[in-house]
Amino acid sequence: DQQVKQNSPSLSVQEGRISILNCDYTNSMFDYFLWYKKYPAEGPTFLISISSIKDKNEDGRFTVFLNKSAKHLSLHIVPSQPGDSAVYFCAASKQRDNFNKFYFGSGTKLNVKP
Amino acid sequence: ETGVTQTPRHLVMGMTNKKSLKCEQHLGHNAMYWYKQSAKKPLELMFVYSLEERVENNSVPSRFSPECPNSSHLFLHLHTLQPEDSALYLCASSQEPDNQPQHFGDGTRLSIL
């Protein structure tokens, strides 16, 4: 039972345009959401996060939007650059006892064309 | 020193071998995790150690045996593995119980012959 889903396995965008990556979740108890970026042969790298008390968080070219009523999370990258080409994972967590249990999506491979 | 270091990066072993994966974190975190990533599938949480105590064991077969001797080191001992255990094994650490991201190592690519 996958609680976090990324329904688009891949996305191709022209350099300079906006990239929008989407993520849906099923558990309304999730209270912390993150996006990770992963290059081949490397581990996932934390990109940006958002708490459930907010609906938007921005960091430079990256903005994460949270729509709690729709249980939907999105990552906007603008402008997109060729170096952004990677696999992007969304993750959601809820506090459980003394640690955060994260649930990950299966990833979206972004290709930014020069 | 990078934040989370995993060794070896690649491992090929037979089904009857015994080997260990090692993870070391230099971030001062108090929780460490083992994940399994198979092709086209989400990361699967295997084990969680918080303050050196195992707090989560996600129905992982006993042929995988974790060990956390201190808050900076985490091992995954492997024995009698099956071909379906071939995957990327990722270690992560975080500071709990705060809402903080997990920091990942680069993983060990494991192939079972």
Side-chain angles (χ1 to χ4, degrees):
Chain A
D1 179 29
Q2 201 171 331
Q3 299 192 44
V4 176
K5 291 182 181 179
Q6 293 176 256
N7 292 317
S8 298
S10 63
L11 175 68
S12 189
V13 171
Q14 201 67 39
E15 180 180 6
R17 306 294 289 270
I18 185 171
S19 295
I20 300 176
L21 296 102
N22 294 303
C23 179
D24 297 296
Y25 61 95
T26 58
N27 192 334
S28 58
M29 297 299 291
F30 288 144
D31 59 5
Y32 183 55
F33 304 85
L34 308 92
W35 283 95
Y36 284 88
K37 179 168 74 172
K38 186 180 184 302
Y39 292 118
E42 294 183 12
T45 303
F46 168 69
L47 197 55
I48 192 168
S49 65
I50 188 167
S51 164
S52 60
I53 62 173
K54 301 174 81 172
D55 54 20
K56 176 182 173 182
N57 189 26
E58 194 171 346
D59 183 1
R61 296 184 298 113
F62 303 91
T63 303
V64 56
F65 293 92
L66 176 63
N67 183 334
K68 289 185 287 294
S69 61
K71 297 192 182 69
H72 181 78
L73 185 71
S74 64
L75 175 69
H76 292 210
I77 306 173
V78 56
S80 302
Q81 300 173 354
D84 296 329
S85 297
V87 178
Y88 290 78
F89 295 95
C90 66
S93 78
K94 54 186 176 180
Q95 274 287 333
R96 179 172 170 172
D97 297 327
N98 57 349
F99 74 99
N100 261 324
K101 182 165 183 174
F102 284 92
Y103 297 81
F104 286 82
S106 51
T108 296
K109 185 174 184 179
L110 174 66
N111 178 33
V112 180
K113 296 177 287 187
Chain B
E1 286 282 5
T2 56
V4 180
T5 304
Q6 288 187 244
T7 54
R9 293 295 312 277
H10 301 273
L11 179 62
V12 180
M13 56 188 285
M15 288 191 283
T16 58
N17 291 158
K18 288 185 180 182
K19 296 284 185 184
S20 296
L21 310 185
K22 179 183 175 183
C23 177
E24 185 173 358
Q25 60 100 358
H26 307 276
L27 300 168
H29 290 161
N30 60 8
M32 296 187 77
Y33 309 77
W34 279 117
Y35 286 89
K36 175 184 178 183
Q37 186 181 26
S38 304
K40 308 294 184 189
K41 292 176 72 174
L43 272 68
E44 299 172 52
L45 181 63
M46 299 175 73
F47 301 103
V48 182
Y49 278 82
S50 179
L51 299 172
E52 300 159 42
E53 180 182 337
R54 192 193 307 182
V55 295
E56 181 85 353
N57 178 351
N58 241 14
S59 304
V60 180
S62 59
R63 56 186 184 268
F64 295 91
S65 175
E67 179 190 0
C68 186
N70 55 61
S71 60
S72 299
H73 293 86
L74 186 66
F75 294 90
L76 188 62
H77 304 299
L78 316 171
H79 67 96
T80 326
L81 294 193
Q82 303 299 310
E84 62 265 27
D85 297 323
S86 297
L88 180 67
Y89 289 84
L90 289 161
C91 172
S93 70
S94 66
Q95 186 63 25
E96 300 298 340
D98 302 330
N99 267 349
Q100 294 289 330
Q102 294 178 356
H103 294 259
F104 285 85
D106 288 336
T108 295
R109 174 67 63 184
L110 177 65
S111 299
I112 307 300
L113 301 178

